[in-house]
Amino acid sequence: MSFDTPINRVGTHCKKWDSMEPLYGLSPDDSLAMWVADMEFRPPSVVQAALERMTDHGVYGYFGDDSAYLAAIRWWMATRHGWSVDPDWIFTTHGLVNGTALCVDAFTKPGDGVILMTPVYHAFAHIIKAAGREVVECPLLLQDGVAKLDIEGWEARLTGREKMLILCSPHNPGGRVWTMAELRTVADFCVRHDLILLSDEIHHDLVFPSQHHTVMANAAADIINRLVMMTATTKTFNIAGAHIGNVIVADPGLRKQFSNRINAMGISPNSFGMHMATAAYSRKGAAWVDELMQYLEGNRRVFDAGLALIPGVRSTPLQATYLAWVDFTGTGMTEAEVVERVEKGARIATNHGGSFGSGGEGFLRFNIACRRAQVVEAVERLTKAFADLQ
Ligand SMILES: Cc1ncc(COP(=O)(O)O)c(C=O)c1O
């Protein structure tokens, strides 16, 4: 498989390219879609083969017998993350936005506070607000462009109504891989304030070769009575349309609470997602992810090096994820001025920093999981759009 193979997704009902014109006013004919977090790559052939077996058989009834799916998760977490997962702890949801919504519903009540370490994945705040809970923003500190915890600052913001903290590990946006010490600090903070810790680890396979991710369940095995883990195959293997994810709950009391919500909502698995995810968590899938990360490392280097030549612009050094987080604050322009240049000038659709909460203003998020040639093209367009700063 070559990650350089051109793939035209226009007209396939994909959000990234087919919703770009209505939302940004940018035509796919001359613009680059670098916003939605999915990749311009086909998944490994082992996933495609699993789908072909289904379509060859041609009967699409209810899914049953998830033992192979559970065994695949168990194998993946043990071999890739050194984490021993009991199949009884695993719930299958329709992705992790769905998983987050179910957890907010199961473990908090209307009016409760839910802590977000901002800037962070925008769907969290949408869910919390729509569910009638309160978003409590605990901003990250930026030190030399690297996101850091600010426990003292956070303590001062708490009202006592907080019931849950959502950790994004690795962090989106910015791609921080939290260290063992940082994970422990977050866990201790949750103990001190009696919070459920929801650890969204959807990006935990997309870690660059020089980095090491620790799953929260290993960093803080002692807080299993307040820890809920979320993992998925979808970001890793570019199968987000399959809408499948795992909520993993080791504590029997929390598990009961969660299974009550799942049952009350009538949630059961989508067979396409189950087959694809089972195939992905395999030796062949693992080899593909290793190749993917090598390729993304090349993209990251090209993108960062190109942007470093534009005065006042800096791409945060990614430790994980393919979501480059670019700081334009050094240009002295407002976010609106930067957006104008990037969208009208360079004709690139990105995610705007302010939508990720406090601390995101003045940044844009660029998805660099595309052909290297597109990364080069994006750098050229941005260089031109900010040429007057040279
Ligand atoms: C941290 C995080 N959680 C969840 C999701 C979305 O999960 P899903 O597609 O499974 O709903 C994303 C997508 O970018 C994400 O970055």
Side-chain angles (χ1 to χ4, degrees), residues 35-39 172 203 235 238 240 322-323 351 365 367:
W35 58 303
V36 175
D38 65 22
M39 305 194 269
N172 167 26
H203 296 282
K235 287 287 144 192
N238 204 29
Y322 48 72
L323 302 165
N351 292 93
R365 197 189 73 174
N367 181 337

Side-chain angles (χ1 to χ4, degrees), residues 37 95-98 121 124 168 172 200 202-203 234-235 240 243-244:
L96 295 193
V97 167
N98 179 227
Y121 178 52
F124 293 151
C168 188
N172 167 26
D200 178 341
I202 198 167
H203 296 282
T234 48
K235 287 287 144 192
H243 272 294
I244 184 165

